[in-house]
Amino acid sequence: MARDGTVEPCPPEQEVRHLKMKAANVLLRCLQEEGVDVIFGYPGGVVLPIYDALHSSDIRHVLVRHEQGAAHAADAYARASGKVGVCLATSGPGATNLVTGIANAYMDSVPLVAFTGQVNTALIGKDAFQEVDITGITLPITKHNYLLRRAEDLVRVVKEAFYIARTNRPGPVLVDLPRNVMETEIEFTGYPSEVHLRGYRVVRSCNMGQVVAAAEAINRAERPVIYAGGGVINSNASELLRALAMKAKIPVTTTLMGIGSFPETHYLSLGMLGMHGTRYANYAVSECDLLIAVGARFDDRVTGKISAFAPHAKVIHIDIDAAEIGKNFAVDIPIVGDVRQVLEELVPRVEEKEHFGEWHRTIDRWKEEFPLAYGEPREPDRIKPQYVIEQIYYVTQGKAIITTEVGQNQMWAAQFYKFSQPRHFITSGGLGTMGFGLPAAIGAKIACPELPVINIAGDGSIQMNIQELGTAMQEKLPVVVCILNNHYLGMVRQWQELFFGRRYSYTDISLQPDFVKLAEAYGAVGMRVKEAHLVEAALREALEVKDRPVFIDFWVEREANVFPMVAPGESLYNMLGGDDLL
Amino acid sequence: MKHTLSVIVENHPGVLTRVATLFRRRSYNIDSLTVGRTENPTVSRMTIVVEGDDVLIEQVVKQLHKLVEVIKITDITDDPSVDRELVLVKVRADTQVRAEIMQIVEIFRARIVDIGRNTLIIEATGDENKINAIEDSLRPFGIMELVRTGKVAMVRGGK
């Protein structure tokens, strides 16, 4: 009221002030604009302003039991949904607990945005309570990261973070948010529709001359093989890959990360190649005259001895990351571009082949002679682990999302479950992170609630993030954990058997919890199966449970091995073992 | 072979760390790295001299390109360019040899910037060869301390 008693009109400045809100609230508004519907996180001191904003937000927050679980769950959510995964942790130990998960996402090119709390800007660099230099720590394991010093930059930074995470070769981006910045009142004037990053350009085209050269090489080839990696899945190009393979009748092998990019039930499928690939895939790569690498990176677990990899082949390499071209392996026809876009140009230029030639007959012969196989159990009350995987495949009709831990369980899953769709096999490929599978199953189930989600685990790996059983209980998620329990750290034991004269140094983990009781202690369902004829019924019963996780403790043959195998440093042609026996 | 990369980066805190971390992480050998402001206050220019064959240099360039804050990279090794380095050399110089040293300084168009009882500090600028030559010429007198800035470079003409 003015002094004379009349009411003054509200000055414009005050109207603007009404639009001001805490940066923490603006952050959540931005996330909604990005289409984020779930955050995996764990609260703590400096993220209190963000948690306070979350309390009244529509965004679902999944409370994990350890921050590593948040990163893995967000990672798997991204892989299963094709969207950007989001995790949130407090400063210091909360942030460092994310590190393994961020590194995992980086190695497997998963779009992830990790938000961490940070101490007040005035305290940064003073070794304050729960202060850690998380942007410094994550420098080599993120595509990019930010320390947000000014609230005015928040909206731009969030926009850039999501943009960088999902475009080109996807990867994790970390945004470090000091507490006082999150409490600053700022105006929210809208979410930007574009970014301005002069040092970051999205690959939108490919060299057509190279595409033509690739098509000519394909048309001339007599023994071609496609080697498909995770880039096909990231690029949503599975249909195009299938079109290319079928049009030119090219056999397809996939990397671990590429599993699901081509249906493994298809007659042109060679399954996985590499260290634990099929013999016929490895032989085909060793004998081919043209290798078409699509969204793959010539990893050492794939190539074996690199100088003996695809020795007779001309090599085409399609990848969105120019730095992958020539990094590990010199190629003849490099094409930098988005797999989808390149294949769209390539497929029409490839000639349709009507007939199968000598090459296909050779491969069929290898398939007959060297199938993936396993023998009878060599111990009483123990099941063949491969049989369990086959039963999981049979019971789920190949339609489940399978997550894995790391080690033998992972390789058996890759070998014996026949995937026919992308985004259904979720595994830690590059980093090989034990403890990935259970939080990954949680993330995948939240992304795809209508699909059965099964974590194929080992008794070692499952204990690394077993606390996430609590998360699955709280969220009422019916994920099924199939522990292939051999009471060993199986893969390391296998290497000790093969390369260290059976000296089982610290790999016997017979001392372990009763997994049935442990599940029950959380309120989950626990089962134990020691006989092959009970496997199917147990799986069916587990898949009937709709409101809580299930642990099935399958006692498997203690010294079963993953075969065939390329010993480290050997060429793909030189494989050990036909079935699971040497 | 040594390659000279001229790298334009965002003038943001931490960019040098990102570049240095990349080199360390991938075991690339930095021969020298200089960084400074440019005519445009929003960017900095780094001149990186890196040792390696063509395959390695190609990887260095591609990996650098992946850094969001790296705007432009030019390999100016084979371009006509001007490059300069500055060196400060503290050399042992008692009265018997002082005249001889001053003669060397003269020949290289270097400068004496400090005179101690038994020492001289010499400042020289020039391309890498010249700096190497002056370093070699002074070594017999006893170099006590030496610091080189690393190379800065600029492409000639309108480029």
Side-chain angles (χ1 to χ4, degrees):
Chain A
M1 293 247 287
R3 214 175 286 162
D4 62 1
T6 59
V7 179
E8 282 182 343
C10 194
E13 291 84 12
Q14 272 185 8
E15 270 177 19
V16 171
R17 211 170 293 141
H18 279 301
L19 291 173
K20 279 198 170 186
M21 52 180 166
K22 275 190 179 168
N25 293 87
V26 173
L27 170 68
L28 297 188
R29 280 287 291 276
C30 294
L31 295 186
Q32 278 174 321
E33 296 282 342
E34 279 294 340
V36 173
D37 43 29
V38 61
I39 296 173
F40 301 89
Y42 202 93
V46 297
V47 284
L48 275 166
I50 300 172
Y51 272 84
D52 189 57
L54 270 170
H55 195 62
S56 52
S57 166
D58 295 335
I59 297 177
R60 177 177 179 185
H61 176 275
V62 174
L63 177 64
V64 295
R65 296 301 186 266
H66 183 293
E67 289 88 350
Q68 188 187 345
H72 289 328
D75 172 322
Y77 173 88
R79 296 191 208 211
S81 67
K83 295 166 69 176
V84 178
V86 178
C87 60
L88 169 62
T90 193
S91 64
T96 54
N97 278 346
L98 289 178
V99 167
T100 301
I102 294 170
N104 190 75
Y106 186 71
M107 287 289 267
D108 286 347
S109 308
V110 176
L112 180 78
V113 175
F115 292 101
T116 49
Q118 183 53 279
V119 300
N120 289 346
T121 44
L123 289 172
I124 291 177
K126 305 282 197 289
D127 302 317
F129 178 66
Q130 291 191 333
E131 185 201 352
V132 78
D133 174 17
I134 196 63
T135 48
I137 288 169
T138 58
L139 214 54
I141 53 164
T142 49
K143 248 183 111 171
H144 195 54
N145 63 24
Y146 296 88
L147 167 55
L148 190 79
R149 287 180 183 276
R150 307 184 317 160
E152 305 91 277
D153 295 332
L154 173 67
V155 175
R156 174 183 60 80
V157 163
V158 173
K159 178 77 190 175
E160 289 177 6
F162 279 83
Y163 183 79
I164 292 168
R166 72 167 171 262
T167 50
N168 286 348
R169 179 180 182 172
V173 177
L174 181 136
V175 183
D176 201 19
L177 303 164
R179 178 178 176 152
N180 61 315
V181 173
M182 282 295 96
E183 286 182 312
T184 307
E185 299 259 332
I186 51 171
E187 278 176 46
F188 181 66
T189 54
Y191 196 63
S193 56
E194 50 193 73
V195 299
H196 301 282
L197 288 164
R198 51 189 168 174
Y200 183 86
R201 293 222 178 74
V202 173
V203 177
R204 296 191 198 278
S205 61
C206 56
N207 184 320
M208 287 310 295
Q210 294 292 86
V211 172
V212 170
E216 280 170 7
I218 291 169
N219 294 337
R220 272 202 305 272
E222 290 175 357
R223 304 188 307 278
V225 169
I226 291 171
Y227 144 46
V232 178
I233 295 169
N234 268 335
S235 178
N236 296 316
S238 301
E239 295 288 327
L240 282 158
L241 181 74
R242 196 182 313 196
L244 174 68
M246 287 177 72
K247 191 173 182 192
K249 304 286 187 288
I250 310 173
V252 181
T253 180
T254 71
T255 67
L256 185 72
M257 297 307 300
I259 284 178
S261 64
F262 190 80
E264 294 185 312
T265 46
H266 196 280
Y267 59 90
L268 286 170
S269 172
L270 299 168
M272 184 172 74
L273 81 165
M275 181 172 273
H276 290 297
T278 62
R279 270 188 191 252
Y280 38 94
N282 285 349
Y283 288 174
V285 168
S286 302
E287 296 280 308
C288 68
D289 68 347
L290 179 72
L291 185 71
I292 307 152
V294 190
R297 60 183 178 90
F298 298 85
D299 174 78
D300 57 280
R301 283 292 191 271
V302 160
T303 63
K305 187 178 173 185
I306 193 105
S307 58
F309 183 68
H312 312 295
K314 187 172 213 175
V315 180
I316 299 169
H317 189 186
I318 303 167
D319 204 291
I320 199 163
D321 182 356
E324 286 304 335
I325 309 277
K327 186 183 83 180
N328 295 340
F329 191 73
V331 298
D332 302 286
I333 307 174
I335 307 176
V336 177
D338 178 55
V339 167
R340 185 187 180 82
Q341 201 175 19
V342 174
L343 292 184
E344 270 170 4
E345 298 291 347
L346 184 61
V347 174
R349 288 173 172 78
V350 166
E351 287 165 11
E352 178 116 32
K353 287 223 171 74
E354 295 293 335
H355 301 292
F356 296 96
E358 184 54 35
W359 180 229
H360 295 91
R361 282 193 289 279
T362 306
I363 287 173
D364 284 345
R365 226 170 29 243
W366 287 331
K367 282 186 176 178
E368 257 172 57
E369 204 177 335
F370 309 111
L372 284 174
Y374 57 93
E376 288 298 312
R378 289 169 289 186
E379 293 165 74
D381 287 336
R382 292 275 178 175
I383 314 164
K384 277 288 183 181
Q386 299 94 329
Y387 176 77
V388 177
I389 310 285
E390 283 187 337
Q391 286 298 303
I392 295 170
Y393 173 66
Y394 171 67
V395 167
T396 58
Q397 298 173 301
K399 296 199 171 80
I401 291 184
I402 303 292
T403 71
T404 76
E405 303 290 341
V406 165
Q408 289 185 317
N409 62 81
Q410 178 186 32
M411 291 298 114
W412 284 319
Q415 289 180 333
F416 288 92
Y417 197 100
K418 302 297 168 208
F419 291 89
S420 52
Q421 292 169 81
R423 305 193 180 279
H424 279 54
F425 184 56
I426 295 175
T427 195
S428 169
L431 197 66
T433 313
M434 291 171 71
F436 175 74
L438 178 54
I442 289 168
K445 188 69 188 176
I446 286 169
C448 305
E450 72 290 354
L451 289 176
V453 175
I454 296 177
N455 172 29
I456 293 173
D459 49 307
S461 291
I462 192 62
Q463 294 186 64
M464 278 214 187
N465 271 321
I466 201 156
Q467 77 287 345
E468 298 309 326
L469 195 45
T471 310
M473 279 302 296
Q474 185 163 357
E475 296 293 323
K476 299 186 169 57
L477 297 173
V479 296
V480 178
V481 179
C482 295
I483 304 171
L484 305 180
N485 191 344
N486 53 19
H487 296 79
Y488 274 121
L489 299 173
M491 186 58 95
V492 178
R493 185 211 56 76
Q494 175 173 341
W495 284 50
Q496 289 172 337
E497 177 186 336
L498 297 176
F499 310 121
F500 292 88
R502 293 185 64 114
R503 286 156 57 82
Y504 293 163
S505 182
Y506 300 101
T507 43
D508 188 318
I509 51 164
S510 308
L511 186 109
Q512 57 183 216
D514 180 328
F515 289 112
V516 174
K517 284 188 189 157
L518 190 143
E520 287 168 356
Y522 272 94
V525 178
M527 304 179 202
R528 178 166 295 115
V529 182
K530 298 180 179 181
E531 287 164 90
H533 68 93
L534 298 174
V535 171
E536 184 189 337
L539 287 168
R540 290 198 189 281
E541 191 186 332
L543 288 165
E544 284 304 309
V545 177
K546 298 295 177 206
D547 62 346
R548 66 191 66 196
V550 182
F551 265 35
I552 315 180
D553 185 22
F554 291 104
W555 284 34
V556 300
E557 186 178 287
R558 290 204 72 195
E559 295 185 65
N561 286 325
V562 181
F563 282 130
M565 175 180 192
V566 178
E570 285 293 336
S571 81
L572 292 193
Y573 217 86
N574 194 4
M575 295 197 82
L576 303 171
D579 48 27
D580 65 337
L581 298 170
L582 262 177
Chain B
M1 180 187 163
K2 278 184 189 169
H3 282 251
T4 306
L5 305 177
S6 179
V7 185
I8 303 293
V9 299
E10 295 285 355
N11 183 13
H12 290 168
V15 178
L16 179 60
T17 314
R18 288 181 198 277
V19 171
T21 300
L22 170 65
F23 275 72
R24 179 191 56 76
R25 146 94 177 91
R26 301 214 179 250
S27 311
Y28 304 146
N29 235 327
I30 301 181
D31 199 77
S32 73
L33 189 156
T34 60
V35 55
R37 290 192 313 206
T38 69
E39 76 287 353
N40 176 350
T42 69
V43 303
S44 309
R45 183 190 293 270
M46 288 185 183
T47 307
I48 307 174
V49 179
V50 54
E51 174 93 46
D53 59 20
D54 288 350
V55 177
L56 184 115
I57 301 301
E58 190 185 322
Q59 265 297 304
V60 171
V61 170
K62 285 170 167 178
Q63 295 291 352
L64 276 171
H65 261 304
K66 286 171 72 170
L67 297 179
V68 171
E69 288 163 325
V70 168
I71 300 165
K72 191 172 177 229
I73 306 165
T74 322
D75 185 343
I76 59 169
T77 314
D78 299 324
D79 289 351
S81 57
V82 180
D83 58 83
R84 287 292 179 270
E85 210 179 332
L86 183 143
V87 66
L88 293 174
V89 192
K90 185 184 286 175
V91 67
R92 207 180 297 283
D94 51 33
T95 43
Q96 288 102 330
V97 295
R98 220 164 247 205
E100 199 180 336
I101 291 172
M102 285 163 81
Q103 222 168 10
I104 291 168
V105 166
E106 189 76 10
I107 290 165
F108 282 102
R109 295 199 192 88
R111 297 201 298 154
I112 292 167
V113 289
D114 181 69
I115 301 182
R117 239 167 68 88
N118 291 309
T119 60
L120 292 172
I121 297 179
I122 294 152
E123 170 203 309
T125 56
D127 64 17
E128 200 183 349
N129 287 335
K130 177 180 163 183
I131 302 298
N132 288 342
I134 195 165
E135 199 183 313
D136 289 343
S137 309
L138 292 173
R139 185 162 300 119
F141 302 98
I143 292 175
M144 298 166 73
E145 269 180 75
L146 181 143
V147 56
R148 291 170 72 147
T149 56
K151 180 152 78 172
V152 292
M154 195 174 276
V155 174
R156 291 178 190 271
K159 215 174 161 183

